[in-house]
Each structure stands twice: as structure tokens, then as C-alpha cells.
Amino acid sequence: MKAQPIASHFIDGEYVEDTDGTVIESLYPATGEVIARLHAATPAIVERAVAAARRAQPAWAAMSPTARGRILKRAADIMRERNRELSELETLDTGKPIQETIVADPTSGADSFEFFGGIAAAGLNGSYIPLGQDFAYTKRVPLGVCVGIGAWNYPQQIACWKGAPALICGNAMVFKPSENTPLGALKIAEILIEAGLPKGLYNVIQGDRTTGPLLVNHPDVAKVSLTGSVPTGRKVAAAAAGSLKHVTMELGGKSPLIVFDDADIDSAVGGAMLGNFYSTGQVCSNGTRVFVQRNIKETFLSRLKARTENMVIGDPMDEATQLGPMVSFDQRQKVLSYIDKGKAEGATLVTGGGIPNHVTGEGYYVQPTVFADVTDEMTIAREEIFGPVMCVLDFDDEAEVIARANGTEFGLSGGVFTSDLTRGHRVVDQLEAGTLWINTYNLCPVEIPFGGSKQSGFGRENSLAALEHYSELKTVYVGMGKVEAPY
Ligand code: NAD
């Protein structure tokens, strides 16, 4: 299998190569096969990308929002037409099963282009402020050159979720995908050009943790939006603070999913499985601490075990496959080491706990794993694992579970399953997190704001809220009379 792009970077409307950059090998996670060889951006490539963005941005900002929106909507259409091809590429890039990528990855990117393209005409209005005989008005103005830095779990979605609001506000973007998944964003850049985006407005450069800082520290960059881990977030925010850049931080989590004894148990089991095993557990908002009220624990665990052991693990390109490999060998080793810690610290292994027996070759597979009798102090209950490992914890009453659910530095998301409507709202109201679900889990349509609190970050993606993070207000006070000065 090969997925070699024309060149490593996409700058100023065309593919660009600089073989002086460190080699990045793109491996297909299901087999370990090298499917593409790319080069990390050299400082010269970084300069070229930022310069192209800077050159292109003013004319783009001067266009009407409707005209900008039309281009994004065209990009959404092209993405939908090419959904199969883009989904296969996403599967090669990440190892996620085609059953998922075909419904969740390019489609969600297309939604983002469609949404922001559609709201452009009305969403960027300013306001008029009456001040007696004087008045003021506000304008929403772009920031300039925005940098997007992506994680490897949703490469195409992240490239679009950052690109769409940035572009619609009149900015230009330089996007750096994760070094683990370099392929998808290049296609997004190609599609935007095909849709009519003027060159230089959406550039993609490759690189790793040494390349990112070249962008974050660049004096011509006005904003950085990162999707990544908390430690990376701290470094990027600190570097951006050096020149007071705008920042959006979409970071990790260890979110609580609370199941009360009056919940529809099958829905709660389904929600917990989706919130732990989708994308092989590599989802930032996953509800990895599943608190189950003690009197339904046995029923919950037995149904969960049966359904988990029925999952189809295997070739991600097979439509029947429900669980693919981890993104990389290193990520699998990290997940396996957490599983070992869970066992060593006394959690009860309900199912899974290792590499699937039937998997041969070099694929980075891990069994979907459930631990029960997990306590708050255990490592697996405290740290983000980012793999298909669910921790089930028991609880007795509402106040106790809320306090324990909040007992974490993270605050990305959370969920509650209950048939008591008032309790559902009461509990989510007290959970310290940016995105919460009642009687479902992990649904993130473009219409709703998404983002974290506490150490999980700040700023919001999607929805009208994202516009505020890619633009700023310019206020104009208009004096209508003679200036009265006391001197
Ligand atoms: P990571 O933090 O290792 O890397 C993220 C990106 O940052 C990569 O592109 C990497 O090259 C770059 N990077 C690393 N160090 C940098 C630096 N010093 N300066 C600039 N860029 C730097 O994260 P990952 O392993 O790719 O992704 C997994 C993490 O991302 C998890 O913690 C997960 O929860 C989080 N995540 C969060 C969201 C969200 O929306 N909140 C979504 C997906 C993933």
C-alpha cells in the first residue's frame, strides 16, 4: 500500500519539497508498512509558508464574507464527493476503521466548511452603540496569520475545524499536522484550492515537536490553535505568551461518565463503549472514568463484558471491522504499560488486557480493555491513557460522585446517564468541564461549542463561539459635535 503525496508541504497553492528536512516515515498502523516518506519543514520552508500566508491575507480579508463563504461551501461539496477516497486516506494515516472514517472524518470536516461558509454572511457583523448625539460601532476584524497544530487522532477533522473558522474570519492559515499523520491535511489544502481559495491562504507544512516552535515563535504569526496533550499545551502557551499571541488550547482529558441506577443500562453501556473504544480509544473527550452506581454494577459489567468481547477487531479497510490498531508502536507500548499498572495496582481485569491473539504481523493492536473496582488513586484513573482502556469505578450517592468526578486537573468533558431529568441537569451543572452530555456521549456536531476547562485548555472550536477566537473587535467612536476642551 502506498500513499505517497506529490511532496511534503503545500505552500502558496502548490506542493513544495525541501529534502534537507528530517525524514518523516508515514507507517500504516495496521501493518507497520511504510506508506509514504516525507520531510519535516526546514526553517526556510517555515519562512516560505508564513510569508505566503502573510502576502495572501489582506486581499482575502477585503472580500465580502459571502464570497469567502461560497468557497468554503464548495470545498465542503468536494469533500463529500470524495468521501470514500478521503476516508481511505484517513484510515491509512491513522489506522482507524473505514467503518468510522467514512462517517466521522471527512464528513465532519465538510460540515465545518459548510457551517462556517453558511454563517459567514450574518455571523461576522459588528454592532452599533448609541451614545446620545455621538455613537460607536464595532467591526469584527481578522487576526492575520493563524497557525494550527494538530494531533494524530482526527487529522482531517482538526485541519478543517481550525481552517474553516480561521478562513471565514478573513485570516490565512499555516497548518502543521502531527508527524504521525502527515497525509490528510495535504488533501484538504488541495481541495480548498480546487474550490477556488486564493493561493497562500491555507498552507500545510510537516514537522514534529522541533518544527512547532518555529511557527509558535514566528513574529508574523498572530494566533496559535493547538490540539494536543497538556504538557505540549503548556509549552506552546508559554512560547506564545512571549509575543502575546492569541491561543486556543484543545488538550487532553480524563472525563467522567456517570451511570445512575435509574439509567437505561443498555444505552449507558453503549455510551460507555463509544466513549472508550471509538477510534481505538484515541479521543480526547472520552469518558474514561465510568462511575457506576453500586447496585447496578454487576448487571452493567456483565452486559459490557459481553458486548466488548463481541467487537470485531481487525483489518481497518474491512467494512466490518469495529476496532483498528493504535496509531503507532509507541502509543501501543504506552497503553500496554498502563494496562500493566492497572493490574499491578489491584484493579479487576474484566476483559481484554493485552494484544489480540488473532492479530499477526506488525499492526499496533490492543484489545478493548475494561477494568472494574478501579479506585480514584490508581494511575489508570488519574492519567490520560489515550487507548481502548475503560475504568469502571463504583459509587453510592450523587454528592459523592460529583466530588470524585471533579477530582482531576482535567476538565474537558463529562456525561450522565439517568432517567431523572432534573438530576441529569443538576449533575452536569456541577461537573467542571467544557462539554457535557446527558444520556448520550461524545457527539460533537459543528453547531455546538467544543473545548475544555481547567488543564484541558481554553478557547472553543466550532459553533459561532469559534469566530471569537479567530477575530477581534475594532471599536470606532464617532464624535458628532464640537470637541469641548477645558483648556
Ligand atoms: P502531542 O501533544 O504530542 O502533539 C500535538 C502536536 O503538537 C503535534 O503536531 C506535535 O508535533 C506538536 N508539538 C509537540 N511539541 C510541540 C512544541 N513544543 N511546540 C509546538 N508544537 C509541538 O499530542 P498527540 O500525541 O499528537 O495527541 C494526543 C493528545 O492530544 C492527547 O492528550 C489528546 O487528549 C489530545 N487531543 C485533544 C483534543 C481536543 O480537542 N481537546 C483532540 C484530540 C486530541
Side-chain angles (χ1 to χ4, degrees):
M1 240 174 290
K2 283 280 171 271
Q4 185 68 39
I6 294 167
S8 301
H9 319 289
F10 194 95
I11 299 172
D12 215 6
E14 58 187 27
Y15 277 99
V16 174
E17 193 57 89
D18 180 349
T19 51
D20 285 349
T22 326
V23 171
I24 295 177
E25 282 191 334
S26 168
L27 307 179
Y28 181 38
T31 60
E33 188 188 342
V34 178
I35 53 170
R37 270 198 183 79
L38 299 94
H39 294 271
T42 54
I45 286 287
V46 172
E47 282 308 320
R48 204 164 147 179
V50 174
R54 199 170 173 214
R55 242 184 346 260
Q57 190 264 333
W60 174 244
M63 279 168 67
S64 79
T66 306
R68 291 201 295 265
R70 198 175 301 131
I71 293 170
L72 294 202
K73 286 193 280 180
R74 212 176 289 142
D77 291 342
I78 299 173
M79 286 187 78
R80 292 216 172 86
E81 280 156 24
R82 299 219 193 126
N83 187 35
R84 160 70 51 182
E85 171 203 332
L86 290 168
S87 302
E88 284 175 2
L89 183 67
E90 187 79 343
T91 289
L92 288 173
D93 226 0
T94 60
K96 297 195 292 181
I98 191 84
Q99 189 189 94
E100 287 187 15
T101 54
I102 203 100
V103 295
D105 292 89
T107 48
S108 130
D111 284 354
S112 164
F113 284 137
E114 185 174 2
F115 176 84
F116 287 105
I119 53 122
L124 297 169
N125 291 348
S127 60
Y128 170 88
I129 304 158
L131 298 167
Q133 77 164 356
D134 293 350
F135 66 93
Y137 59 90
T138 63
K139 281 178 78 166
R140 195 156 275 290
V141 296
L143 302 174
V145 177
C146 300
V147 160
I149 301 179
W152 38 256
N153 56 346
Y154 281 84
Q156 291 182 30
Q157 180 187 87
I158 294 171
C160 296
W161 280 18
K162 297 191 189 307
L167 290 171
I168 209 63
C169 288
N171 302 288
M173 172 153 274
V174 179
F175 185 81
K176 189 200 81 64
S178 162
E179 57 274 35
N180 286 316
T181 51
L183 306 176
L186 291 169
K187 281 283 162 205
I188 306 297
E190 255 185 56
I191 286 171
L192 281 163
I193 288 289
E194 193 181 327
L197 187 75
K199 61 184 193 168
L201 290 167
Y202 189 88
N203 309 279
V204 174
I205 65 166
Q206 306 296 340
D208 57 14
R209 61 194 59 244
T210 59
T211 320
L214 299 178
L215 289 168
V216 178
N217 293 320
H218 200 291
D220 291 339
V221 168
K223 189 217 159 88
V224 180
S225 175
L226 169 79
T227 298
S229 61
V230 174
T232 303
R234 290 195 182 111
K235 284 185 209 142
V236 172
S243 48
L244 291 180
K245 290 182 169 66
H246 295 248
V247 274
T248 294
M249 290 286 153
E250 293 292 349
L251 309 177
K254 190 76 196 177
S255 301
L257 190 163
I258 303 171
V259 184
F260 285 97
D261 60 5
D262 60 356
D264 174 329
I265 295 192
D266 288 325
S267 285
V269 167
M273 289 177 73
L274 283 167
N276 278 272
F277 302 145
Y278 205 72
S279 295
T280 320
Q282 304 162 114
V283 181
C284 51
S285 50
N286 271 353
T288 46
R289 290 181 296 143
V290 180
F291 290 92
V292 178
Q293 206 155 13
R294 203 177 302 275
N295 52 337
I296 56 162
K297 172 182 171 183
E298 295 313 322
T299 318
F300 183 90
L301 284 176
S302 72
R303 292 190 202 176
L304 173 63
K305 177 173 158 60
R307 284 172 66 175
T308 301
E309 289 175 354
N310 237 352
M311 286 180 73
V312 182
I313 310 172
D315 175 4
M317 286 296 179
D318 183 338
E319 303 267 349
T321 295
Q322 297 169 326
L323 193 96
M326 310 296 313
V327 75
S328 66
F329 177 81
D330 287 352
Q331 187 62 18
R332 179 177 73 178
Q333 295 314 104
K334 184 180 153 197
V335 172
L336 291 174
S337 82
Y338 274 113
I339 290 174
D340 288 343
K341 277 189 193 132
K343 292 174 184 165
E345 291 178 17
T348 306
L349 184 65
V350 176
T351 186
I355 296 171
N357 295 331
H358 64 279
V359 171
T360 52
E362 297 299 315
Y364 314 130
Y365 288 86
V366 178
Q367 286 176 314
T369 297
V370 177
F371 281 109
D373 305 311
V374 176
T375 58
D376 299 344
E377 307 72 41
M378 289 181 186
T379 310
I380 54 170
R382 286 186 291 108
E383 296 182 13
E384 183 184 48
I385 300 173
F386 225 55
V389 182
M390 187 193 306
C391 296
V392 178
L393 304 93
D394 315 326
F395 76 94
D396 292 301
D397 69 68
E398 189 180 310
E400 169 214 337
V401 78
I402 291 168
R404 290 171 59 201
N406 287 336
T408 168
E409 63 169 354
F410 299 107
L412 187 56
S413 38
V416 177
F417 278 85
T418 177
S419 58
D420 178 341
L421 200 60
T422 50
R423 172 158 65 190
H425 290 287
R426 189 170 63 233
V427 172
V428 293
D429 201 43
Q430 292 173 81
L431 291 179
E432 296 163 355
T435 311
L436 293 141
W437 292 275
I438 299 176
N439 290 335
T440 187
Y441 204 81
N442 257 357
L443 297 178
C444 290
V446 65
E447 294 89 343
I448 67 171
F450 179 76
S453 58
K454 294 162 82 174
Q455 295 296 298
S456 293
F458 41 81
R460 292 293 177 265
E461 298 204 295
N462 290 340
S463 78
L464 293 175
L467 300 176
E468 287 164 30
H469 299 288
Y470 285 99
S471 61
E472 60 191 0
L473 287 182
K474 176 178 275 189
T475 307
V476 180
Y477 185 111
V478 182
M480 296 294 286
K482 214 172 150 42
V483 174
E484 301 287 346
Y487 35 77

